Coordinates of all heavy atoms in Angstrom, one line a residue:
S1 N -3.5 -14.3 3.9 CA -3.4 -14.8 2.6 C -2.8 -13.8 1.7 O -2.9 -12.6 1.9 CB -4.8 -15.2 2.1 OG -5.6 -14.1 2.0
N2 N -2.1 -14.2 0.7 CA -1.5 -13.3 -0.3 C -2.2 -13.3 -1.6 O -2.9 -14.3 -2.0 CB 0.0 -13.7 -0.5 CG 0.8 -13.6 0.7 OD1 0.5 -12.8 1.6 ND2 1.8 -14.4 0.8
G3 N -2.1 -12.2 -2.3 CA -2.8 -12.2 -3.6 C -2.5 -10.8 -4.2 O -1.9 -9.9 -3.6
Q4 N -2.9 -10.6 -5.5 CA -2.7 -9.4 -6.2 C -4.0 -8.9 -6.7 O -4.7 -9.5 -7.4 CB -1.7 -9.6 -7.4 CG -1.3 -8.3 -8.1 CD -0.3 -8.6 -9.1 OE1 0.2 -9.7 -9.2 NE2 0.1 -7.6 -9.9
S5 N -4.3 -7.6 -6.3 CA -5.6 -7.0 -6.7 C -5.5 -6.6 -8.1 O -4.5 -6.0 -8.5 CB -5.9 -5.8 -5.8 OG -6.1 -6.2 -4.5
Q6 N -6.6 -6.9 -8.9 CA -6.6 -6.4 -10.3 C -8.0 -6.3 -10.7 O -8.8 -7.2 -10.5 CB -5.7 -7.2 -11.2 CG -6.0 -8.7 -11.2 CD -5.1 -9.4 -12.1 OE1 -4.1 -8.9 -12.6 NE2 -5.4 -10.7 -12.3
V7 N -8.4 -5.3 -11.4 CA -9.8 -5.1 -11.9 C -9.6 -4.6 -13.3 O -8.8 -3.7 -13.6 CB -10.6 -4.1 -11.1 CG1 -12.0 -3.9 -11.7 CG2 -10.8 -4.6 -9.7
S8 N -10.3 -5.2 -14.3 CA -10.0 -5.0 -15.7 C -10.2 -3.5 -16.1 O -9.5 -3.0 -17.0 CB -10.9 -5.8 -16.6 OG -12.3 -5.6 -16.3
T9 N -11.1 -2.8 -15.4 CA -11.3 -1.4 -15.7 C -10.4 -0.4 -15.1 O -10.5 0.8 -15.3 CB -12.8 -1.0 -15.3 OG1 -12.9 -1.2 -13.9 CG2 -13.8 -1.9 -16.0
Q10 N -9.4 -0.9 -14.3 CA -8.5 0.0 -13.6 C -7.1 -0.2 -14.1 O -6.7 -1.3 -14.7 CB -8.6 -0.4 -12.1 CG -10.0 -0.1 -11.6 CD -10.2 -0.9 -10.3 OE1 -9.5 -1.8 -10.0 NE2 -11.4 -0.6 -9.7
P11 N -6.2 0.7 -13.8 CA -4.8 0.6 -14.3 C -4.1 -0.6 -13.6 O -4.4 -0.9 -12.5 CB -4.1 1.9 -13.9 CG -5.1 2.5 -12.8 CD -6.4 2.0 -13.2
A12 N -3.3 -1.3 -14.4 CA -2.6 -2.4 -13.8 C -1.6 -1.9 -12.8 O -0.9 -0.9 -12.9 CB -1.8 -3.2 -14.9
A13 N -1.4 -2.7 -11.6 CA -0.5 -2.3 -10.6 C 0.9 -2.7 -11.0 O 1.1 -3.5 -11.9 CB -0.9 -3.1 -9.3
P14 N 1.9 -2.1 -10.4 CA 3.3 -2.4 -10.7 C 3.5 -3.9 -10.4 O 2.8 -4.5 -9.7 CB 4.1 -1.5 -9.7 CG 3.2 -0.4 -9.4 CD 1.8 -1.0 -9.4
A15 N 4.6 -4.4 -11.0 CA 4.9 -5.9 -10.8 C 5.1 -6.2 -9.4 O 5.7 -5.4 -8.6 CB 6.1 -6.2 -11.6
S16 N 4.5 -7.3 -8.9 CA 4.6 -7.7 -7.5 C 5.9 -8.4 -7.3 O 6.5 -8.9 -8.1 CB 3.4 -8.5 -7.2 OG 3.4 -9.8 -7.9
N17 N 6.2 -8.5 -5.9 CA 7.3 -9.4 -5.6 C 6.8 -10.8 -5.4 O 5.7 -11.1 -5.7 CB 7.9 -8.9 -4.3 CG 6.9 -8.8 -3.1 OD1 6.0 -9.6 -3.1 ND2 7.1 -7.9 -2.2
G18 N 7.6 -11.7 -4.9 CA 7.3 -13.1 -4.8 C 6.1 -13.4 -3.9 O 5.4 -14.3 -4.1
N19 N 5.8 -12.5 -3.0 CA 4.7 -12.7 -2.0 C 3.4 -12.1 -2.5 O 2.4 -12.2 -1.9 CB 5.1 -12.1 -0.6 CG 6.3 -12.9 0.0 OD1 6.4 -14.1 -0.2 ND2 7.1 -12.1 0.7
G20 N 3.5 -11.3 -3.6 CA 2.3 -10.6 -4.1 C 2.2 -9.2 -3.5 O 2.6 -8.9 -2.4
T21 N 1.8 -8.3 -4.4 CA 1.6 -6.9 -3.9 C 0.5 -6.7 -3.0 O -0.6 -7.1 -3.3 CB 1.4 -6.0 -5.2 OG1 2.5 -6.2 -6.1 CG2 1.3 -4.5 -4.8
P22 N 0.7 -6.1 -1.8 CA -0.4 -5.9 -0.9 C -1.4 -5.0 -1.6 O -1.0 -4.0 -2.3 CB 0.2 -5.2 0.3 CG 1.7 -5.6 0.2 CD 2.0 -5.7 -1.2
A23 N -2.7 -5.2 -1.3 CA -3.7 -4.2 -1.8 C -3.6 -2.9 -1.0 O -3.9 -1.9 -1.5 CB -5.1 -4.8 -1.7
I24 N -3.3 -3.1 0.3 CA -3.1 -1.9 1.2 C -1.8 -2.1 1.9 O -1.6 -3.2 2.5 CB -4.3 -1.8 2.2 CG1 -5.6 -1.5 1.5 CG2 -4.0 -0.7 3.3 CD1 -6.8 -1.6 2.4
E25 N -1.0 -1.0 2.0 CA 0.2 -1.1 2.8 C 0.5 0.3 3.4 O 0.5 1.3 2.7 CB 1.4 -1.6 2.0 CG 2.7 -1.6 2.8 CD 3.9 -2.2 2.1 OE1 3.8 -2.2 0.8 OE2 4.9 -2.5 2.7
F26 N 0.7 0.3 4.7 CA 1.1 1.5 5.4 C 2.6 1.1 5.8 O 2.9 0.1 6.4 CB 0.4 1.7 6.7 CG -1.0 2.2 6.5 CD1 -2.1 1.3 6.5 CD2 -1.3 3.6 6.3 CE1 -3.4 1.8 6.3 CE2 -2.6 4.0 6.1 CZ -3.6 3.1 6.1
R27 N 3.5 2.1 5.4 CA 4.9 1.8 5.6 C 5.5 3.0 6.4 O 5.8 4.1 5.9 CB 5.6 1.7 4.2 CG 7.0 1.2 4.3 CD 7.6 1.1 2.9 NE 6.9 0.2 2.0 CZ 7.1 0.1 0.7 NH1 8.1 0.9 0.1 NH2 6.4 -0.8 0.0
H28 N 5.7 2.7 7.7 CA 6.3 3.7 8.7 C 5.7 5.1 8.5 O 6.3 6.1 8.3 CB 7.8 3.8 8.4 CG 8.5 2.5 8.6 ND1 8.6 1.9 9.8 CD2 9.2 1.7 7.7 CE1 9.3 0.7 9.7 NE2 9.6 0.6 8.4
L29 N 4.3 5.1 8.6 CA 3.6 6.3 8.4 C 3.6 7.2 9.6 O 3.3 6.7 10.7 CB 2.1 5.9 8.0 CG 1.3 7.1 7.4 CD1 1.7 7.5 6.0 CD2 -0.2 6.7 7.4
H30 N 3.8 8.5 9.4 CA 3.8 9.4 10.5 C 2.9 10.6 10.0 O 3.0 11.0 8.9 CB 5.1 10.0 10.9 CG 6.1 8.9 11.5 ND1 6.7 8.0 10.7 CD2 6.5 8.7 12.7 CE1 7.5 7.3 11.4 NE2 7.3 7.7 12.7
R31 N 2.1 11.2 10.9 CA 1.4 12.4 10.7 C 1.3 13.2 12.0 O 0.7 12.7 12.9 CB 0.0 12.1 10.2 CG -0.8 13.4 9.8 CD -0.2 14.1 8.7 NE -1.0 15.2 8.1 CZ -0.8 16.5 8.4 NH1 0.2 16.9 9.3 NH2 -1.6 17.4 7.9
Y32 N 2.0 14.3 12.0 CA 2.0 15.2 13.1 C 1.2 16.4 12.9 O 1.2 17.0 11.8 CB 3.5 15.6 13.5 CG 4.4 14.4 13.7 CD1 5.8 14.6 13.6 CD2 3.9 13.2 14.1 CE1 6.7 13.5 13.8 CE2 4.8 12.1 14.3 CZ 6.2 12.3 14.2 OH 7.0 11.3 14.4
F33 N 0.6 16.9 13.9 CA -0.1 18.2 13.9 C 0.5 19.0 15.0 O 0.1 18.9 16.2 CB -1.6 18.0 14.1 CG -2.3 17.3 13.0 CD1 -2.5 15.9 13.2 CD2 -2.7 17.9 11.9 CE1 -3.2 15.1 12.2 CE2 -3.4 17.2 10.9 CZ -3.6 15.8 11.0
G34 N 1.5 19.8 14.7 CA 2.3 20.5 15.7 C 3.0 19.5 16.5 O 3.8 18.6 16.0
R35 N 2.8 19.5 17.8 CA 3.5 18.5 18.7 C 2.7 17.2 18.9 O 3.2 16.3 19.5 CB 3.7 19.2 20.1 CG 4.5 20.5 20.0 CD 4.7 21.1 21.4 NE 5.4 20.3 22.4 CZ 5.6 20.6 23.6 NH1 5.2 21.8 24.1 NH2 6.2 19.8 24.4

């Protein structure tokens, strides 16, 4: 399901796209420790 997270005591999120801004998004995340 789609939706846009908002809580009145928190800063407003940037404008969402047509599908709604994800509350959590990992986007091609990499984390290396040496090799």
Side-chain angles (χ1 to χ4, degrees):
S1 63
N2 296 332
Q4 186 173 352
S5 296
Q6 52 185 8
V7 177
S8 59
T9 59
Q10 297 157 351
S16 66
N17 58 28
N19 295 324
T21 300
I24 295 171
E25 182 178 10
F26 290 95
R27 192 180 297 172
H28 301 294
L29 193 72
H30 296 77
R31 181 64 170 102
Y32 302 159
F33 297 95
R35 300 177 64 181

